[in-house]
Amino acid sequence: MAGDNSERVETSSRTRSFTGCATCRRRHVKCDEGHPTCSMCSSSGLSCAGYKKDVFFDARNPNSGVRFRRPPLTEDERQRMSQWLISAAPPKSTNQLLLTIDEESEKYKPSPEGLQLSFGPFGVFQVQLEQDKPASPDDPLPPVEEYEDASTSSPSQDMSQVLEIFPITSEFSQWSPGFMQSLLEQPDQGSSPLSPDLLGMTMDQTHVDTSVLPREYQLTNFLSESYCNLMSPTSLTSPPSLTRAIPQDAVFLLKHYSSTVISLMTPVRHKKTPWHILFIPHVKECLAALALGEDMSHASLCNFYGTLAISAFSLGGISRSEKWLEQGETYLQRAREHAKLMLMTAYDIPKPAKYKAILMAILTMVQVSNFSGRGDRHQTEIYFLEAEKLIRLKGLKRKKSRKVRLLHHCYVFERMFHESIFICGANSVQRRHVRRAVESSGLSRCSVDGLSFRLYKWQNLEQEMLRVRDREEGENDLHLERPGLFSATLYPEIYGVPEPWVLLLSLVIRLGVEKDESEQEPNGNGLNLKDYISRAKALEDYINQMQRPKEAFFMTHQSSIDQHILETMLEAMRHALAIYFYRRIYDLNASMLQDKVASVRDCLLQCEYADSSVVHGSAGFIWPAFIAACEAEDPEVQKSFSAWFDISAQRSGLSCFKQTLISIEKIWEEKRRAQGRSFTWLDLMRRAGSQQQGLVV
């Protein structure tokens, strides 16, 4: 909106909007949106805090057809920008540049591609001396098999095409917001992924001159006790590596993440998953903010670099390129540094970042730790505990939006699989710290479930599972302690899994904890033998009677192939849950479970035959594959599982599949050495726990 009086209208004709100055919005009063300051603040004797940077059109009078465009910069920034432009293009130099353009234009013959001339501020006057044919942004991404050629090229050689389409030659070109939006359209919305030869932008070309920006970062001192065990900070200032430059390969890595890596997180293919509506848009905003020279929170930068790290590791595995793996290590280190600084101030007042941004960053670090193989289960455990602490202190007490609930579901789903395997840290220092932090805050009353994985005192499981839970219980029973039905659950939408299936896994985990407590403290407060057997029998019956969801459950999915894959995945989970129950609760001999082991193997092969292009790496597949493979005794069945993990590793490029297979092969080797003794993954996990090492799964 211009500051000219002729463009103003009567205050009475204006409608209430969300575009007023920050001061008026905070006071909940109507703002006339004057520039550089509004008259409401002036008449009240207050300091006008200015306006949010945004571009929009404002039709003051619908009948006049006049529309005003608000500039995205503040008055002070626009003045400084104008001064810079004037000094960068004095009259004599401008005339000389125009003459140069005329001379260079005469040297080129007419061609269908046209002539690119861009030089000076915003790339207006720069002459492109070599007229190479620019590659189309719609060039398709080569097949997976062709990624092997990428091993001979550096990831820093990949953005020449982007530079030809969107020149970034002037230090002020970062002020164009449409630049990143054009690059980051989803591949499934009409544009194909960029080719691997796209990323030759250097750091010098993309470095942002932050001297023109008004805001600066300030850090306060706080570090959670549990995170100190993971990475103790040496100072409270950002390390030199935490630059505000645009990563040269970010666009290509985000394309690969969107088109390939997301299929590892979820087996569903609709566009309403948390990754489509939360994670990817947030990372795009970070990239655009870097291009604009904006300051960002450490939470946003952690999420940004963590996402790039996952994608780079995936590309490195697919192409067998050490350079991509090194790039992934670089981004992972940056993500860890930002995570460290983020957790120092995560609970400060005023808050340094939004709750969703912090939780997304922690979940991204969980995903990096899980998928990259750069770490062990103890490191993943610490990130999970940080997420739990944040949710219990900041998330449960609030009214939860749909996006917040999506993030909570992502945390719980991944936490359950982690908890089922990582059994050696039930009373660790980090877990005790989280319990003390929540209890001392007085917010433990917001949690419907207990702060440790102990069994809820239900009597009739069949009746309890049919009980309808209200909204408070459904949303604040974080770790699914109490049986019951919750109609607003989001697990089917995110993972294609009914909530009762996740709830049963939680109940088996909790009964296993009771068993461990009783063995360690026979005279403790745990379940007596009669109650233990009664509850175990109830769980056994319910697991064996589990029914596949009705066809209406799969109505949201697009094709019959997708529906078949989801049905088969659920069947694999059902058999794996039974295997997990019998080994964890009854310690049944593995020879009695081989039919269920073979059933899980057959489910994996069915999905392979149904659609060999699918990356079968979602959490819904890797967990049942691990549980069943550990109990496989037939050499041919073992070979089938090994082949599945190898193929998944090749398609996804992520080392977690290879690392999991290594753990499974250790178990097979231990079984051969045991000479008939019933050796399980539990034994290996306990042994690894006593050595302060985690089993990679």
Side-chain angles (χ1 to χ4, degrees), residues 435-492:
R435 287 196 290 268
R436 287 197 304 268
V438 176
E439 290 169 351
S440 62
S441 69
L443 294 173
S444 58
R445 66 182 184 277
C446 298
S447 300
V448 172
D449 61 323
L451 301 184
S452 59
F453 277 82
R454 302 302 293 266
L455 195 64
Y456 183 66
K457 304 298 183 180
W458 45 265
Q459 297 297 328
N460 189 319
L461 180 60
E462 185 174 0
Q463 290 182 0
E464 290 286 339
M465 291 294 285
L466 296 176
R467 181 179 61 89
V468 177
R469 301 194 289 175
D470 59 23
R471 177 175 178 177
E472 180 182 0
E473 182 181 354
E475 292 182 354
N476 291 359
D477 183 8
L478 185 61
H479 291 154
L480 300 176
E481 177 184 270
R482 302 184 182 185
L485 297 175
F486 183 47
S487 60
T489 181
L490 297 176
Y491 292 112

Side-chain angles (χ1 to χ4, degrees), residues 316-336:
I318 292 173
S319 64
R320 297 178 177 84
S321 168
E322 289 297 326
K323 294 181 180 179
W324 277 116
L325 295 178
E326 292 172 1
Q327 195 77 341
E329 291 286 356
T330 299
Y331 290 140
L332 176 57
Q333 183 59 30
R334 291 187 184 180
R336 284 174 174 169

